[in-house]
Amino acid sequence: MSVPLLKIGAVLSTMAMVTNWMSQTLPSLVGLNGTTVSRGGTSERIVSALYPSPEEGWQIYSSAQDADGKCICTVVAPAQNMCNRDPRSRQLRQLMEKVQNITQSMELLDLRTNRDLQYVRNTESLMKAVDVKLKTASDNPRSLNPKSLQDLKDKVTQLLPLLPVLEQYKTDARQISRVREEVRNLSLVLMAIQEEMGAYDYEELRHRVLLLETRLHSCMQKLGCGKLTGVSNPITIRASGSRFGSWMTDTMIPSSDNRVWSMDGYFKGRRVLEYRTLNDFMKGQNFVQHLLPHPWAGTGHVVYNGSLYYNKYQSNIIIKYHFRSRSVLVQRSLSGAGYNNTFPYSWGGSSDIDLMADENGLWAVYTTIPNAGNIVISRLEPQSLEVLQTWDTGFPKRSAGESFMICSTLYVTNSHLAGAKIYFAYYTNSSSYEYTDIPFHNQYSHISMMDYNPRERVLYTWNNGHQVLYNVTLFQVIKTAGD
């Protein structure tokens, strides 16, 4: 009866080795990133920062090197919590679960076998006594008197509980056979995976990735402002709300705030929904409601450093509302700015005053009567809302579909409908402008909000009841150490 125990112990030892190998290999696989970085002198490059889509969850930074081949900064890095979508990782996790199940079965068998073996050992002396009496009775039948016969019957009765123990042993033996086959199949699968991935030393690769990520962050810090040269295909995050509205995350750099805010409608709205994360926003869960003390007009709102900046309904007053204290910190009139559909974008919707933020701070885009309906840009002081500087772009606001700021440059679309493109750019740094031709796919044919988030380097849009993101490509000149 001790032989099955020896087999069980061996199998348990094997399973422990497999479990240990899996626990070491799987984290290494999940932690693996693909990163490439090299640095040189001054270079002109196009840098693209892709926002992780809900389907893929990949963060990609890429560049095109200059003619001299200098300064490449490239990374293809799946987010840590998204690596579990790797099919091999799923297969390994499934194997881990199977190993755990088999280990539990083996431990149960081991416990049960030890218990039954102890019972058998306790009845060993009884079995020897019965054996002696049976031999005596067989050799000398006349010696078996009624008392001896009754004594023999009693001892046999005491041995009857051994029958279910032996039956359990048979069942356990069959189960051990099945487990042995399961382990054999598991070993074949593990060998196949190990052959596929065994060429890599994952610990070494992880160490190299950490070093490369450090160099990457150093390189990415040099990716400052640039000129917009392209817009990606749209990434639809969610379909919710009415035809008009706005949604946003905090635009302050740096910021670790992952909250998402949604403001449905453009006319007399007061309800702001605050979601804990983008994933919660996608699912429509884990949100709180803010009821603004004053209704808003338009969709040109922006969240900057934990506060909402918006245009008060039927006025040219800008309000700064602090989310955590749920109070208005400051409100100020934007002198001369039109309101109440005096100078809206082409789609209307009381979009007279459009507030936005970029790498260089807080801005207001609007129009005044003295400017004859042309777009005016003002840089605002975030605490007091005082106008710091103003530019007249010369571009008629009613001919614009939407606009947004990137690196102190205002980009204007020529329509809010299908076929729209980024048609005009005004550079506040040089007080100059140019006409551009940057197409983008207006998937749902009616954009009522389009804002750039410098922290994430994406465009947020509200398109006919859909919340959509676009990645942007910026042309940049980067200077590295030693220049």
Side-chain angles (χ1 to χ4, degrees):
M1 301 304 292
S2 61
V3 174
L5 281 179
L6 293 176
K7 291 182 179 179
I8 290 173
V11 174
L12 281 172
S13 177
T14 302
M15 298 310 298
M17 292 172 62
V18 172
T19 305
N20 184 51
W21 179 84
M22 296 286 285
S23 64
Q24 291 177 355
T25 303
L26 184 58
S28 299
L29 178 67
V30 173
L32 186 63
N33 290 322
T35 309
T36 305
V37 176
S38 64
R39 296 185 292 179
T42 303
S43 64
E44 296 184 355
R45 348 184 348 228
I46 295 178
V47 178
S48 176
L50 274 71
Y51 194 92
S53 72
E55 293 81 10
E56 298 177 359
W58 287 75
Q59 299 175 3
I60 304 174
Y61 298 93
S62 60
S63 66
Q65 62 184 4
D66 65 359
D68 297 326
K70 295 179 181 178
C71 193
I72 300 174
C73 188
T74 304
V75 62
V76 179
Q80 294 291 330
N81 62 342
M82 303 302 292
C83 287
N84 55 13
R85 298 188 180 183
D86 188 320
R88 292 179 300 182
S89 297
R90 282 200 302 271
Q91 191 175 12
L92 286 174
R93 280 197 308 278
Q94 291 170 358
L95 291 175
M96 279 284 285
E97 293 173 1
K98 186 173 289 188
V99 166
Q100 186 176 4
N101 292 337
I102 293 175
T103 303
Q104 290 174 351
S105 298
M106 298 302 293
E107 289 174 350
L108 179 61
L109 284 172
D110 190 22
L111 178 65
R112 198 159 56 202
T113 305
N114 274 306
R115 180 197 62 197
D116 293 344
L117 183 60
Q118 185 61 42
Y119 181 79
V120 171
R121 285 172 176 168
N122 292 339
T123 57
E124 185 176 4
S125 58
L126 181 62
M127 293 175 67
K128 289 180 178 179
V130 171
D131 185 54
V132 169
K133 288 186 177 293
L134 286 174
K135 284 183 179 180
T136 302
S138 177
D139 295 339
N140 187 8
R142 293 181 180 179
S143 64
L144 193 65
N145 54 43
K147 182 180 177 182
S148 298
L149 180 62
Q150 185 60 41
D151 186 36
L152 181 60
K153 287 182 179 179
D154 292 341
K155 292 185 181 300
V156 170
T157 301
Q158 293 178 40
L159 291 175
L160 287 178
L162 279 178
L163 293 177
V165 172
L166 295 175
E167 286 299 321
Q168 184 65 56
Y169 261 70
K170 293 179 183 178
T171 302
D172 289 349
R174 288 192 295 268
Q175 187 169 351
I176 289 173
S177 178
R178 288 195 298 269
V179 170
R180 185 186 300 113
E181 183 66 20
E182 193 77 21
V183 170
R184 190 182 71 83
N185 295 336
L186 180 60
S187 299
L188 293 175
V189 175
L190 289 175
M191 286 176 62
I193 294 177
Q194 196 168 21
E195 286 179 4
E196 180 183 355
M197 303 187 300
Y200 304 100
D201 184 339
Y202 286 104
E203 288 301 322
E204 180 183 353
L205 285 177
R206 267 181 88 182
H207 180 65
R208 290 178 61 189
V209 165
L210 291 175
L211 292 177
L212 290 171
E213 283 180 344
T214 301
R215 295 174 63 189
L216 170 69
H217 290 312
S218 176
C219 185
M220 289 300 294
Q221 287 174 0
K222 304 178 188 299
L223 301 183
C225 280
K227 179 180 179 181
L228 180 66
T229 59
V231 177
S232 75
N233 285 327
I235 302 170
T236 301
I237 300 299
R238 186 184 179 193
S240 67
S242 64
R243 190 178 191 186
F244 312 97
S246 62
W247 71 295
M248 65 217 78
T249 56
D250 201 316
T251 55
M252 179 72 174
I253 301 176
S255 174
S256 58
D257 195 338
N258 295 316
R259 290 176 294 172
V260 178
W261 293 272
S262 175
M263 302 169 68
D264 190 13
Y266 69 87
F267 183 71
K268 297 177 67 174
R270 293 180 60 196
R271 192 173 73 125
V272 182
L273 298 184
E274 175 188 301
Y275 296 85
R276 192 170 56 184
T277 64
L278 180 64
N279 190 54
D280 289 332
F281 174 73
M282 292 168 61
K283 296 177 180 179
Q285 64 183 21
N286 294 329
F287 64 88
V288 296
Q289 176 178 293
H290 297 268
L291 193 63
L292 300 178
H294 307 286
W296 72 69
T299 58
H301 328 300
V302 66
V303 174
Y304 186 80
N305 197 21
S307 292
L308 172 68
Y309 295 80
Y310 71 96
N311 177 209
K312 183 179 178 181
Y313 174 64
Q314 287 191 334
S315 75
N316 59 10
I317 294 174
I318 300 173
I319 293 178
K320 178 182 179 181
Y321 174 85
H322 189 244
F323 282 116
R324 294 205 185 278
S325 65
R326 294 178 178 262
S327 63
V328 173
L329 299 185
V330 64
Q331 52 182 314
R332 192 183 191 108
S333 174
L334 191 58
S335 180
Y339 61 92
N340 198 25
N341 271 330
T342 304
F343 298 112
Y345 288 124
S346 60
W347 63 273
S350 298
S351 55
D352 302 78
I353 298 175
D354 193 358
L355 302 170
M356 54 192 73
D358 71 352
E359 292 83 354
N360 297 312
L362 186 65
W363 305 81
V365 171
Y366 57 101
T367 296
T368 66
I369 292 177
N371 288 94
N374 293 329
I375 291 178
V376 173
I377 306 170
S378 288
R379 192 158 68 90
L380 305 179
E381 204 288 312
Q383 302 302 322
S384 65
L385 297 179
E386 178 186 356
V387 174
L388 301 176
Q389 193 172 354
T390 297
W391 295 262
D392 183 356
T393 66
F395 191 91
K397 192 164 187 290
R398 286 183 177 273
S399 298
E402 271 291 338
S403 68
F404 53 90
M405 295 289 294
I406 298 180
C407 300
S408 300
T409 298
L410 181 71
Y411 294 94
V412 181
T413 69
N414 63 347
S415 174
H416 62 283
L417 303 173
K421 61 183 178 180
I422 299 168
Y423 179 73
F424 179 84
Y426 187 89
Y427 306 100
T428 61
N429 291 335
S430 60
S431 297
S432 61
Y433 68 89
E434 69 173 338
Y435 288 92
T436 60
D437 187 8
I438 304 174
F440 65 94
H441 181 36
N442 187 350
Q443 186 172 3
Y444 304 105
S445 303
H446 198 287
I447 293 177
S448 60
M449 168 259 180
M450 192 173 206
D451 271 332
Y452 172 70
N453 187 304
R455 183 161 61 103
E456 300 162 352
R457 293 199 167 185
V458 295
L459 292 174
Y460 280 70
T461 66
W462 188 291
N463 195 336
N464 214 355
H466 297 79
Q467 292 72 52
V468 181
L469 294 174
Y470 293 89
N471 305 303
V472 299
T473 301
L474 303 180
F475 180 86
Q476 298 173 318
V477 176
I478 300 174
K479 292 187 179 295
T480 57
D483 293 339

